[in-house]
Amino acid sequence: MDLAIIDQSKPGVPAEQIELVEKVLDYAGKYTKLPDDTEMSVTFVNNDEIQRYNREYRGLDKPTDVISFAIEEDGDDMPLMMDEDMAEDLAKNIGDIIVSVDKIGEQAEYLEHSYERELGFLVVHGFLHLNGYDHMRSDEDEKIMFDLQREILDSYGLTR
């Protein structure tokens, strides 16, 4: 997976947690059988910045733990002038997730598990949203998404 990580949080995310994010998302990509050249980004922010994103893009004036911005590829925007071989060589960008480091700490403490488990949970949760899973559509979709999320985290070794 081609992963861009942007840390805009204060005081900043430690290198070992950045490495955890890289590894768990690479694992999730392999687990869900995404092509190796799949692209996405993760941006770490504090509560005030994620609240700004929520207000601007979702009409929700409060901080949340994670926001996913999936790239919709419906093909209707503009025709690409390239042959099939060229199109196959293009990496697929699935989108961006924004994670509040403040919420990771708050929720890890509340749920009584490690910061690393909560960090892994949130980035995998956002990753699944980027790949079309949505627990908000129906009870069945919620079960499918949360079961897959748990499978990925448990098999990676980030258990509760």
Side-chain angles (χ1 to χ4, degrees), residues 92-126:
K92 180 180 180 188
N93 189 325
I94 59 174
D96 311 297
I97 61 175
I98 314 293
V99 181
S100 168
V101 296
D102 299 327
K103 286 290 183 188
I104 296 170
E106 292 168 15
Q107 291 175 180
E109 185 177 323
Y110 175 76
L111 296 168
E112 298 179 344
H113 58 231
S114 72
Y115 186 95
E116 289 73 19
R117 169 59 165 80
E118 189 65 18
L119 172 60
F121 175 89
L122 292 178
V123 296
V124 169
H125 186 86

Side-chain angles (χ1 to χ4, degrees), residues 28-39:
K30 286 179 173 57
Y31 195 93
T32 57
K33 298 179 175 45
L34 289 182
D36 288 340
D37 63 349
T38 300
E39 298 175 350

Side-chain angles (χ1 to χ4, degrees), residues 7 19 27 46 49 55-56 61 78 110 120 153:
D7 186 4
E19 184 178 347
Y27 183 84
N46 294 97
E49 184 65 7
R55 190 172 43 249
E56 188 172 328
D61 194 15
M78 182 169 67
Y110 175 76
L153 291 168

